[in-house]
Amino acid sequence: MSDDITFDKNFDLAPGEPEEVVPGVRRIVADNPGPFTFKGTLTYIVGHGKVAIIDPGPDDPNHIKAVLDAVRGETVTHIFVTHTHRDHSPAVPAIKAATGATVYAEGPHRVSRPLHAGEAPRMEAANDMDFRPDHALADGDVVSGDGFALEGVTTPGHTANHMAFALKGTDITFSGDHVMGWSTTIVAPPDGAMTDYMDSLNKLSRRDEQVYLPGHGGAIREATRFVAGLILHRKAREASILHRLGKGATDIATIVRAIYIGLDPRLTNAAGFSVLAHMEDLVARGEVATEGPPAINGVYRLART
Ligand SMILES: [Zn+2]
């Protein structure tokens, strides 16, 4: 197995300028490019006249103004939020105040498992702890607007409260940060969890929608095939970790150096937490052993030798 996903790094959209990405869906990119956000966070506008906004974006006055300008003369009836990272949800209060729209999401931010002794939520600075939806959605809940209906699809893994939204009667799913075309997804405990993430990929791969509109980067076509590639990619990474442990590596830093060749140095930390996410999953499955709960500086070995 190899890391053979073809990522799409082409994405040309000027910040703040709305563009129709598929009929009936507009997108606006926030001006927050970076190693975790690619060209910036995408806000989607669904419908015409009476519309829904998906992921209002960061707390950036320019982006908020651009979104409100894009819907001038229209009524925003619904706001949907895929998850509570600070590049996706902090613009909610401003957009809600300006439009009176009702806010839907799976729930407030939370960690994916109880914290271990002495452990802090690592991604704290990245999390929007203030977010509260007006209506919490369960898996399969459908919210109908004027000319559109969105089905909430719980997809924990990147965050515990991550929810994708399928646009009913179409081939489209808003996949948030769970599935993106430009990069793999950050899965970093305790906010994220690898077991949940893999379950969520498998869940999407059983659905019919084939066009994904993600939180960052361009639309994904042939989504089922792409998701199958993501699953293989994670399984290959898991195999690499097991291989390194078999060769005598015992710590996450050594494994990161061995298996993330050519990694952007700004992502070294995130790669470490991604390996930790695999370790949690492997320990839970009895493949790997460690003292106490899996930790970023823990000592690891194969459980079956
Ligand atoms: Zn995110």
Side-chain angles (χ1 to χ4, degrees):
M1 283 190 291
S2 63
D3 293 358
D4 55 0
I5 317 170
T6 308
F7 289 112
D8 178 6
K9 301 277 189 181
N10 298 308
F11 186 76
D12 252 334
L13 187 60
E17 290 186 12
E19 174 192 76
E20 186 161 69
V21 53
V22 295
V25 178
R26 287 163 279 173
R27 65 182 176 184
I28 302 177
V29 66
D31 193 11
N32 62 341
F36 296 101
T37 56
F38 190 41
K39 303 292 176 75
T41 305
L42 287 166
T43 296
Y44 291 96
I45 301 165
V46 181
H48 284 289
K50 290 184 178 171
V51 304
I53 290 176
I54 299 178
D55 282 356
D59 184 16
D60 166 4
N62 291 329
H63 184 65
I64 291 165
K65 180 176 184 305
V67 172
L68 292 174
D69 282 350
V71 295
R72 182 137 308 159
E74 300 178 283
T75 305
V76 181
T77 54
H78 300 71
I79 296 169
F80 295 88
V81 171
T82 60
H83 68 296
T84 43
H85 278 153
R86 295 197 66 83
D87 57 319
H88 289 261
S89 55
V92 167
I95 303 272
K96 179 179 163 67
T99 62
T102 306
V103 181
Y104 299 82
E106 195 267 353
H109 193 84
R110 64 180 183 277
V111 287
S112 66
R113 56 155 170 78
L115 296 181
H116 305 319
E119 184 184 41
R122 187 189 73 87
M123 302 283 279
E124 206 154 45
N127 297 335
D128 177 5
M129 304 305 292
D130 298 328
F131 175 80
R132 300 284 180 280
D134 296 319
H135 288 286
L137 298 177
D139 189 40
D141 282 354
V142 175
V143 179
S144 297
D146 185 9
F148 62 85
L150 286 158
E151 175 190 353
V153 183
T154 51
T155 38
H158 175 63
T159 62
N161 67 353
H162 196 286
M163 183 169 256
F165 295 97
L167 185 57
K168 303 297 283 180
T170 77
D171 208 19
I172 294 163
T173 287
F174 298 91
S175 56
D177 285 6
H178 177 56
V179 175
M180 302 182 286
W182 72 282
S183 165
T184 54
T185 290
I186 304 274
V187 181
D191 295 291
M194 188 59 70
T195 311
D196 294 345
Y197 172 74
M198 294 300 283
D199 289 347
S200 294
L201 287 181
N202 283 308
K203 178 180 187 176
L204 286 192
S205 72
R206 293 189 296 269
R207 293 184 61 94
D208 295 332
E209 296 87 7
Q210 292 303 323
V211 178
Y212 287 3
L213 299 177
H216 308 266
I220 298 158
R221 318 272 166 182
E222 296 189 69
T224 302
R225 221 170 77 164
F226 187 77
V227 168
L230 291 177
I231 293 168
L232 280 178
H233 171 84
R234 296 289 174 161
K235 287 187 173 157
R237 183 127 285 160
E238 178 185 296
S240 302
I241 291 169
L242 292 170
H243 178 72
R244 288 290 149 187
L245 289 172
K247 293 274 187 194
T250 59
D251 66 278
I252 287 175
T254 301
I255 292 169
V256 167
R257 277 195 299 276
I259 69 178
Y260 287 82
I261 308 298
L263 179 70
D264 179 338
R266 294 172 298 178
L267 298 178
T268 304
N269 207 31
F273 279 90
S274 180
V275 173
L276 174 61
H278 278 290
M279 291 300 194
E280 286 189 348
D281 184 46
L282 288 164
V283 169
R285 286 159 44 201
E287 300 280 347
V288 169
T290 185
E291 276 311 306
I296 192 71
N297 54 1
V299 176
Y300 296 90
R301 62 185 158 76
L302 294 176
R304 320 170 207 273
T305 47

